[in-house]
Amino acid sequence: MMADDLPPDPALPEPVRDHLGQQLRSVFTTADSVPQYLGDPVVPEAFEPQIKRLEVRLKTHEEGTGAVEQALDGLLGDLGADPKGGLGEAR
């Protein structure tokens, strides 16, 4: 791969961001704060905005993926295809 072929978005892949977010939650804890929910780790204030954005993005991705799956299943069902079997069985 040549230097000109690099993608324009240098962001880390989503699985890597998720893993790093989990690591931040488990490593950066303090005793002087109280977690927002019982059982949640305490997050330093400096990381709170980034972690909240990551949580919203992950939740949105999960909900969006589920919605797309349901829509595609509905479309395939309308075509008479088995949604789990794919388009090859629609004939």
Side-chain angles (χ1 to χ4, degrees):
M1 182 181 245
M2 299 179 69
D4 295 337
D5 296 334
L6 293 175
D9 183 16
L12 294 171
E14 188 171 333
V16 174
R17 292 190 311 257
D18 184 42
H19 174 75
L20 292 175
Q22 296 292 337
Q23 294 299 312
L24 282 173
R25 285 181 156 195
S26 65
V27 171
F28 290 105
T29 59
T30 60
D32 57 349
S33 296
V34 176
Q36 187 173 2
Y37 300 102
L38 185 62
D40 279 353
V42 177
V43 178
E45 287 185 34
F47 294 114
E48 187 72 27
Q50 292 87 350
I51 290 175
K52 290 230 184 264
R53 279 195 313 247
L54 178 60
E55 288 173 342
V56 168
R57 185 174 179 151
L58 291 173
K59 183 175 180 179
T60 303
H61 177 76
E62 289 172 11
E63 290 175 355
T65 300
V68 169
E69 285 176 356
Q70 288 178 351
L72 290 176
D73 286 349
L75 287 174
L76 291 175
D78 290 346
L79 294 173
D82 177 17
K84 303 298 179 198
L87 289 173
E89 296 178 19
R91 296 180 194 207

